[in-house]
Amino acid sequence: MREQRGLKGRAADDTRTVPCRPALTRILRAHIEKEDLKPGDLLMQGEKGGGLAGSVIRRAWRRARKEVLTSYEFGTPLGRRVYDLRHTCLTNWLNAGVPPATVAEWAGNSVPVLLSTYARCVDGQLPDLKRRIEQAGELPDPAAATG
């Protein structure tokens, strides 16, 4: 049986809003409608109506990885666990320029925990950050001021 608990460090009934890609939202909503799921129902159910067994999830995940990754990638830790998608998601949000405080809120982490884990993963923002710093420090054109 899986552990049933609320969010870490929060009230048992607390929730948080997390963004989802529109295409995935459409797929999930279609599945919910097709299966006539109600609030509190499981999105994916096991054969007897309960949660999926961990072994079922792991086998499906292994097959999915084998299908989409090269044989080299499959042999690496890349996405070895479903949970690894969380790391990929948070890294992508940070690399897309989402402020760390927002990413931390969506992830249910504190900013220090988020940055201690992901700060080294942020990549590709340096040219834009330099441009923004330069623009913020621009001085007025002296010729335009005397015009």
Side-chain angles (χ1 to χ4, degrees), residues 1 7 10 15 17 21 41 43 51 64 71 74 92 95 111 113 118 120 137:
M1 184 158 128
L7 300 171
R10 294 184 176 82
T15 62
T17 300
R21 292 181 181 270
D41 287 349
L43 192 59
S71 57
F74 184 77
N92 286 342
N95 281 326
V111 173
V113 166
Y118 297 99
R120 294 174 310 282

Side-chain angles (χ1 to χ4, degrees), residues 52-101:
L52 291 172
S55 60
V56 171
I57 295 168
R58 285 188 298 277
R59 276 195 309 272
W61 186 247
R62 183 175 170 81
R63 281 195 311 268
R65 285 182 73 240
K66 195 166 199 121
E67 183 73 27
V68 300
L69 299 177
T70 67
S71 57
Y72 171 79
E73 291 169 334
F74 184 77
T76 71
L78 179 65
R80 188 161 287 154
R81 303 164 302 159
V82 174
Y83 186 77
D84 294 335
L85 294 176
R86 173 183 168 81
H87 298 302
T88 301
C89 180
L90 301 184
T91 300
N92 286 342
W93 285 343
L94 290 168
N95 281 326
V98 178

Side-chain angles (χ1 to χ4, degrees), residues 98-116:
V98 178
T102 303
V103 173
E105 180 182 333
W106 290 344
N109 289 118
S110 68
V111 173
V113 166
L114 178 86
L115 293 178
S116 71

Side-chain angles (χ1 to χ4, degrees), residues 1-2 4 31 37 40-54 56-57:
M1 184 158 128
R2 289 199 173 76
Q4 298 292 319
H31 175 74
L37 298 177
D41 287 349
L42 293 174
L43 192 59
M44 306 288 177
Q45 297 181 8
E47 289 183 54
K48 297 178 183 172
L52 291 172
V56 171
I57 295 168

